[in-house]
Structures are given as C-alpha cells and as structure tokens.
Amino acid sequence: MPYRSPVGDIKFIFDHVVGLARVGETEHYAEATGDVVDAILTEAGRLCDEVMAPLQRNGDLTPARLENGVVRSSPGFAEAFGQISEGGWIGISADPEYGGMGLPGALSMAVSDMMSGACLALQLNPLLTLGQIDALEHHADDAIKALYLPKLISGEWNGTMNLTEPQAGSDVGAVASKAVDNGDGTYAVTGQKIFISWGDSDFNSNTCHLVLARLPDGAPGTRGISLFMVPKFIPDENGNPGVANSLKVVSLEHKMGLHGSPTCVMQFDGATGWMVGQPHKGMAAMFTMMNNARLSVGLQGVGVAEGAYQHALAYALERKQGQTSIENGTGTIIDFADVRRMLTTMKAEIFAARAIALDCAVALDLGRATGDADQAARAALLTPIAKAYGTDVGCQVSEMGVQVFGGMGFIEESGAAQYYRDVRVTAIYEGTNGIQAMDLVARKMMDGGEAAFRLLQEVQDAAEDTRGMMPELSKQVWVAAETLREATEALIGTEMNDRFAGAVPYLRAFARVLGAHYHLRAARAEGGKGPRSALAEFHIRRLLPEHTALLIHAAQGAAGLYALSPEDLSA
C-alpha cells in the first residue's frame, strides 16, 4: 500500500495554524526549537514510511495469535518495534529524569498520527504505553516511577489499560474486580478484564497492566475504585522481570479489523499489584491515561484517514475507466467530478480534524508549561471534539476510499477495506463518540460556556482579520461562529437529557465551524491564492453549511426520541 508521511502538512499546521512556536518560547519547552521539531518530524516520517508502512497489510493477513498462553505477534512487528524503541520514539514527551526527551506533547501526537497512518495495529502498542507513562508521572509514588518509567520509556516494557469487564463497559462504576491488601505494601488483584489491547507481547520483556479494582471497603460506583500496577512478571531486586505473576491471557478477541493488534481477555487470580495513587481514587488516575488516549485516538482516526486517502488517490490516478468531457484530463477516473468530490472532501476533512487535534495538543502543552487556566480549559473543551470528529473522519474517509475503488474496494486484495475495518473501533473505544458528545454538552459546559465562547470569539476575530483578503469566505465563517454561539447559549439553558439528545449533532457542528476556521487560517498563510486556499474554499462553501442543519437537529430536544415505544420500534 502506498504511504508517505504527511510531514509537510503537519509542519504547516504547526507553523501557520496552531502556533507550536509559542510552546517553544516557554521555559519548560525551550529545547523545542524549529530545527528540533523539523528534525523529529522528518526522521519519524522516514521510520513510518520505510519500516512501519510495509507491515500494514501483513498485520491484517497474518494476525497475532495465542500459542500456549503466549501472544505471538505478526511477522515483522518485533523488528519494527525494535526500531521504534531504539529511536526513543516512545519517550518524546516523557520526563528526562527517567529517560524521556521532555519535548512537547504536540510533537509526540504528531508522530502518533504518522505511525497510525503507516500501521495502526503496531502503533497501538506504544500508544497505550504513552498513556501509562502519563498516568504514572502524575499519580504514582517515587518508587513506582523509578522502577517502571525508565523501562516503559525505553520500550523494554509495554503498558496497558484494564477497565472494561463483561458487565462493565462504559459504566466503569460497575467494575467487579477485587483487590485485597496483602499487608506488605502489595495487593492481591482478582477479576477478568476484556478488550485489552496488547495485553501480551513477545517483543516487550514485561507487560505492565494498570488495573481498576475495588478494595473491600470501596463504595459502590466509581468513587470506590482504586488503581493498581500489575506486571506480567514481578520485578526482582534488580528491577528485572522475575517470577510470573498470577495472571494470564484467556483468549484473543476475533475482531472486524486490527488483526495485527492482539486484543486480550485477561484473567487476574490474586495477582500481585501495587496501588497507584490514593485508595478509592483510581478513576482520577485512570482518567489521566484516558484523556491522553482520547486525543491520541482522535489522531489515530486522522492517521488512518490519511492512509486511506493516499491509497484511494493512487488508484484514482492510475485507473482507466470511461471518459469525461474535461480538457487536458488524465484519462483516469480522477477526471470524473464525483471522484474529485470524494477526494477533495477526504483531503479537507483530514486537514480540519488534524488541525483540531494538534490545536488541542498545543493548548495542553501551554497549560502545562505556563499554568494558564484558560489554555487548560481550551484543551479540555477540544478533547472530546478532537476524539469524536477525528475518528468519525477516519471512518468516513476510509469508507469513501472504498467507494473510490468501486467494485475493487469490496475485494480484500485491493487493501481498501482494511482501513475501514481497522479504524472503525476508534469511534467506540476510549469512550464512544456519543459519550464524547455528552461530555462536551455537560461537563465541558459547567463553566457556563466560557471556554466555548472564548474559542468562538477567536474564530470570529480571525475571520475579521481575513475579511480584507477573502471577504466572502471570512463572512461565512464569522456568521457560522455566531450561529454556534447562539446555539450554545440556548443549549446551556436546557434540561440535561435534551442536551444529550442533540449532543452528537452539536459536536459535529462545532467541528464544522472549527474546521472552517483552521482552513481560513491556512488560506491566509498563503495569501488567499494557492492549493490550501482552494481547499479552504471547498470546505467553507460545501461542508461548513452543514452546521446549520446540525444545529437545528441539536435543538429538537429529547421528547421526539421517545415518541416510539420499544414495541413500536420492534414492530
């Protein structure tokens, strides 16, 4: 499958759309100079193109398998992961005290974007480790940090996240796994967890599970859950993997896609664990990992969309079929207006989703470096949008890629369908996109909409600044932001279930407006003339108007959703 890491697009977004340079101007990230950023992106792009991308198809056709209780990875994955770990790619944003580079998280997210486009099944391994590193840095005690962080950052060990149980999916408060104090600083953890990506590996010498479980005196619901580090092998006195812990992989899930990534059913039978954070406060610690993962998953969607787009574009440039009346055509299907519509939509959506996610990452870095509460609030607001919209775009673009291929898209040998099968789960895990939308209209509006209004004011100010260069497009963006402002004001005054009923279209409308804003900034950076300006015009004229219908939908409330009874729906 053809793949070329979008280094140029990412650099452009950092330089001209989301302002990564502001992060490098802080004392905390002073080493993130322009030269360093360029070098990191360029070398990561080479790794993705030359090492990871060739494994994309192989991971699908030769899946991970469970053999005598041990996961055997797809051929080539171990060697590729060796280059990922040896290059220090897992520790880009990790604490230098433990072997990390200490660079901005936005840079780490950009690398994850490219790795996802190259080979999502393999990228999942370091993604989960990155989230665990973040959780341990924020919540673990010094002893756990000193033992685990260097191993995780180096890639010698990998990390997982164990939340879901057969009876407890999105309702984490229903977790039934138990933990009993052993009296020596350790706990005996018992229970079963499902959907554990990379729950075992044959190229990491230890797999470190962060497990949610309930102490005997833990209250019902999420307030009674604690978090434990439960390694596959218990470290010995030298910090090396020692005796096997009382845990095992029961089976691997048979999945729609991502066959190269082993998704495990894990059984813990009195396994030895160490508490991370405070008793009964496990959700706070786990949410650090989950929030990191939500932004990363949004960029997984973007990365896969990029891969699917490039695959479809290459086919459209070579497939000869039919004739068109355009002058100076190529003689291939890219001459057809509908194929151009699909490819241009794919490209416009990818740019918008990538810009939203990287803007969120920059806000996180600025909040961390400066303590600016407004930047932290901005990042919190953008996170559910970045996750939901990014993964929706991944699904939409990969499905559209199948359509560009036509009949061959339905044939597995073309490889087009793999992108859709692989990316489809991203709209489900780390909180379904419906849950992301509910978070946006509920928790993220607890400030009375202040963070949202600040962001919309920024959109309108930027549109005003561009009005002299592109008056019509700027006006459309300004008006769309004003419409979204009014809809947000109305939303805040409604009952919660009415908000939830319109949450998904509201989030999509917000993403449409933000996408137009970033496209307009891109057009301004090239003076209103050029390919980015043409793409911005396509997005603003053809995609942005959808926000009007979406906001009408969002304002309808919940009553109509219950007009049909369960019996009516079954009739």
Side-chain angles (χ1 to χ4, degrees):
M1 295 182 182
Y3 181 75
R4 177 178 54 81
S5 294
V7 174
D9 277 355
I10 291 171
K11 285 183 179 179
F12 182 89
I13 290 173
F14 276 154
D15 292 344
H16 302 290
V17 179
V18 302
L20 179 64
R22 295 175 296 157
V23 177
E25 292 168 358
T26 66
E27 181 180 355
H28 189 79
Y29 292 115
E31 293 186 11
T33 63
D35 289 345
V36 168
V37 170
D38 287 353
I40 291 286
L41 293 177
T42 300
E43 187 59 24
R46 184 205 61 78
L47 174 74
C48 293
D49 298 354
E50 299 177 7
V51 177
M52 295 182 67
L55 300 175
Q56 163 78 354
R57 195 77 180 118
N58 185 55
D60 191 53
L61 298 176
T62 312
R65 67 189 191 280
L66 186 62
E67 188 177 273
N68 298 322
V70 177
V71 167
R72 303 299 181 191
S73 58
S74 298
F77 274 34
E79 293 77 11
F81 185 84
Q83 294 197 45
I84 293 171
S85 59
E86 289 165 12
W89 297 109
I90 299 171
I92 293 173
S93 58
D95 191 338
E97 181 180 350
Y98 301 102
M101 298 184 193
L103 293 171
L107 197 52
S108 180
M109 290 293 173
V111 172
S112 291
D113 175 351
M114 294 189 286
M115 287 186 173
S116 300
C119 183
L120 181 60
L122 180 55
Q123 186 269 346
L124 267 167
N125 182 295
L127 177 142
L128 288 160
T129 300
L130 283 167
Q132 190 172 109
I133 290 168
D134 201 24
L136 295 182
E137 285 182 347
H138 283 85
H139 299 283
D141 61 33
D142 290 343
I144 289 179
K145 288 180 182 179
L147 175 58
Y148 285 90
L149 285 177
K151 304 285 191 180
L152 293 167
I153 289 169
S154 71
E156 185 177 344
W157 297 355
N158 73 297
T160 73
M161 178 167 54
N162 290 245
L163 291 83
T164 308
E165 298 178 4
Q167 81 293 339
S170 298
D171 182 12
V172 181
V175 160
S177 294
K178 302 295 184 183
V180 177
D181 193 341
N182 289 325
D184 60 358
T186 69
Y187 294 79
V189 178
T190 300
Q192 187 176 94
K193 300 290 184 175
I194 61 174
F195 304 158
I196 310 306
S197 298
W198 285 100
D200 191 36
S201 161
D202 59 356
F203 51 76
N204 301 106
S205 62
N206 204 358
T207 296
C208 309
H209 302 283
L210 279 183
V211 183
L212 286 179
R214 200 180 302 276
L215 294 169
D217 61 344
T222 57
R223 294 183 179 181
I225 297 175
S226 302
L227 183 64
F228 301 88
M229 170 61 78
V230 187
K232 176 182 177 182
F233 296 106
I234 299 173
D236 62 20
E237 63 277 6
N238 298 314
N240 297 314
V243 300
N245 211 341
S246 300
L247 59 88
K248 64 182 179 180
V249 180
V250 176
S251 63
L252 300 186
E253 303 287 3
H254 298 280
K255 301 174 295 185
M256 175 179 175
L258 281 178
H259 296 146
S261 169
T263 301
C264 303
V265 176
M266 300 296 306
Q267 182 68 39
F268 300 88
D269 293 311
T272 301
W274 288 260
M275 186 176 291
V276 175
Q278 299 300 312
H280 317 308
K281 303 294 184 182
M283 282 306 299
M286 185 60 87
F287 262 115
T288 298
M289 185 173 185
M290 289 178 66
N291 281 331
N292 179 295
R294 283 172 175 170
L295 181 54
S296 297
V297 169
L299 280 163
Q300 283 186 329
V302 175
V304 175
E306 180 72 47
Y309 166 71
Q310 291 187 24
H311 194 47
L313 176 61
Y315 182 78
L317 286 167
E318 67 180 23
R319 172 64 170 167
K320 296 182 182 296
Q321 182 80 16
Q323 296 180 344
T324 68
S325 60
I326 67 169
E327 296 181 2
N328 302 316
T330 67
T332 66
I333 63 171
I334 202 169
D335 292 343
F336 286 95
D338 190 55
V339 174
R340 287 293 182 98
R341 174 191 63 81
M342 289 189 285
L343 291 170
T344 310
T345 298
M346 294 161 84
K347 190 172 183 66
E349 294 277 39
I350 291 167
F351 179 89
R354 178 173 284 136
I356 290 172
L358 293 181
D359 194 5
C360 181
V362 166
L364 281 169
D365 286 331
L366 287 172
R368 186 176 296 117
T370 66
D372 188 332
D374 286 352
Q375 289 293 340
R378 178 193 184 93
L381 178 75
L382 286 173
T383 295
I385 303 174
K387 193 277 179 180
Y389 180 55
T391 56
D392 280 347
V393 164
C395 294
Q396 174 190 345
V397 167
S398 58
E399 187 276 333
M400 204 173 288
V402 172
Q403 192 72 13
V404 170
F405 271 81
M408 288 305 300
F410 198 66
I411 305 301
E412 282 292 348
E413 284 77 3
S414 72
Q418 182 187 342
Y419 288 106
Y420 183 75
R421 290 188 288 101
D422 284 356
V423 80
R424 185 59 187 85
V425 72
T426 63
I428 298 171
Y429 62 30
E430 304 311 329
T432 68
N433 287 357
I435 289 174
Q436 303 302 318
M438 293 166 68
D439 176 51
L440 176 64
V441 302
R443 186 177 292 119
K444 300 303 162 50
M445 296 294 169
M446 290 177 65
D447 63 352
E450 288 186 13
F453 296 141
R454 279 196 300 270
L455 184 53
L456 291 175
Q457 187 61 53
E458 178 184 316
V459 173
Q460 291 185 307
D461 290 345
E464 285 288 355
D465 291 343
T466 316
R467 196 179 289 268
M469 182 184 297
M470 292 170 287
E472 186 178 350
L473 297 183
S474 298
K475 180 180 179 181
Q476 289 186 51
V477 174
W478 193 97
V479 170
E482 184 63 21
T483 303
L484 181 56
R485 180 193 301 276
E486 293 169 356
T488 303
E489 291 171 347
L491 175 85
I492 292 169
T494 61
E495 190 271 337
M496 195 57 71
N497 204 41
D498 286 332
R499 293 194 202 183
F500 290 160
V504 168
Y506 174 81
L507 183 149
R508 184 73 176 190
F510 214 130
R512 275 280 172 256
V513 173
L514 289 176
H517 166 60
Y518 299 123
H519 271 290
L520 193 63
R521 289 181 67 91
R524 179 180 179 180
E526 67 173 11
K529 295 180 181 179
R532 295 189 186 278
S533 299
L535 191 65
E537 183 167 359
F538 177 91
H539 185 281
I540 293 168
R541 290 187 183 278
R542 297 172 187 256
L543 303 183
L544 176 61
E546 293 175 3
H547 85 283
T548 302
L550 289 165
L551 291 176
I552 291 172
H553 183 173
Q556 297 307 303
L561 301 182
Y562 299 92
L564 293 175
S565 67
E567 292 76 16
D568 294 332
L569 291 169
S570 302

